[in-house]
Amino acid sequence: MEERLGIVGTGAIACGLAAVAAERGEVVVLARSAESASRARETVGAGGGSSSLRVETEHDALADATFIVEAIVEDHDAKAQLLGDLHRRTGPDAILATTTSSLSVEALAGAAGRAQRFVGLHVFNPVRKMALIELVVPQAADDGTRERARALCEALGKTAVEVPDVPGFVVNRLLFPYLFAAVSLMETTGLEPDAVDTCMRLGAGHPMGPLALLDLVGLDVAQAIGERLGAVVPLTLRERVADGALGRKASRGFYDYPGSGG
């Protein structure tokens, strides 16, 4: 890996990306607190890539990074503020990237203040298993930025597919209406989640059923993505979100997950 990679965030995508990157070179993860830094070290260390990993809590740790990936909460204002701060703190040749799954990359590039050196990298969870990265290149970005982003994806063992900057890009734009249709079918027919999921796994060859996948994504995240896509979010999903049943991370969603999440 030729780039000196920095990753901001300690969630599933950030830690998964760090674990993959640490097997291929040096990577610095920026955490917002000592507690989240400790969790990140444990999570990435469990993946076997900790020897090349540094987890820090001070922004100065990213001063030498040549490619910085923002992987924080899916909120435009939070991302824009962080990216603007990173722009002021890093060298002019460093590329900034966002892992947004549904926000406008063009808008975030403008907020960052360096659209010429900016890309969107939609990384999929679980990062180690998922081969695709959706690459979004703002209009102002130069060819060198595009080439470096593709080279980084290749170095990480991923396939980069350049996609348009439309809500949900390609995968989520097609996927979430299908996931919501599964919830609506369950609502109208009274089918149990496992029945719907088993039909799609065994009948359509999907590795995971739609309701189990929603639990993995997080029902709150799914609701937010659906709203950005302008899709109809089923009432059952909204009710579970309101009740705190957010999926695996909360130990309950469409299924129960004893001993996992919060």
Side-chain angles (χ1 to χ4, degrees):
M1 187 170 65
E2 294 184 3
E3 302 285 357
R4 296 190 297 275
L5 183 63
I7 299 170
V8 184
T10 55
I13 293 297
C15 288
L17 191 59
V20 170
E23 295 174 351
R24 294 160 169 84
E26 300 291 330
V27 57
V28 177
V29 173
L30 182 66
R32 64 180 178 178
S33 68
E35 182 180 359
S36 59
S38 178
R39 286 198 304 267
R41 291 187 189 98
E42 292 177 2
T43 300
V44 178
S50 60
S51 62
S52 299
L53 174 75
R54 287 170 48 211
V55 182
E56 307 287 351
T57 57
E58 298 295 332
H59 279 75
D60 290 346
L62 298 175
D64 294 330
T66 61
F67 204 118
I68 302 176
V69 180
E70 166 275 307
I72 65 168
V73 63
E74 187 74 345
D75 176 83
H76 173 85
D77 291 344
K79 287 179 182 290
Q81 181 176 352
L82 172 63
L83 290 164
D85 184 59
L86 290 171
H87 167 61
R88 291 186 290 272
R89 292 173 179 269
T90 55
D93 292 330
I95 292 177
L96 298 183
T98 176
T99 60
T100 183
S101 60
S102 60
L103 299 173
S104 168
V105 172
E106 199 75 50
L108 289 172
R114 64 169 70 193
Q116 188 178 12
R117 296 273 191 273
F118 194 93
V119 294
L121 299 177
H122 181 202
V123 181
F124 293 83
N125 192 36
V127 181
R128 191 177 294 278
K129 293 183 178 180
M130 302 298 282
L132 175 67
I133 291 182
E134 288 183 318
L135 171 62
V136 185
V137 182
Q139 292 183 0
D142 58 26
D143 289 340
T145 296
R146 177 182 279 104
E147 291 167 5
R148 285 173 61 189
R150 285 188 171 277
L152 177 66
C153 293
E154 184 177 354
L156 295 173
K158 305 299 182 184
T159 297
V161 176
E162 190 166 337
V163 297
D165 188 18
V166 296
F169 311 131
V170 173
V171 173
N172 283 353
R173 194 175 184 87
L174 299 179
L175 175 62
F176 277 86
Y178 152 68
L179 298 180
F180 296 152
V183 179
S184 296
L185 180 66
M186 188 182 69
E187 288 177 340
T188 57
T189 63
L191 281 168
E192 292 296 322
D194 187 59
V196 176
D197 283 352
T198 299
C199 286
M200 294 310 297
R201 284 190 294 105
L202 302 184
H206 292 188
M208 181 180 289
L211 302 171
L213 181 54
L214 281 166
D215 277 356
L216 179 63
V217 170
L219 302 193
D220 54 337
V221 175
Q223 178 176 317
I225 291 173
E227 289 170 349
R228 292 190 185 101
L229 293 176
V232 177
V233 180
L235 178 61
T236 297
L237 190 147
R238 291 184 180 275
E239 289 176 341
R240 279 173 163 77
V241 170
D243 189 42
L246 307 181
R248 284 183 178 270
K249 62 187 175 184
S251 300
R252 61 192 181 101
F254 289 104
Y255 296 91
D256 291 331
Y257 303 92
S260 66

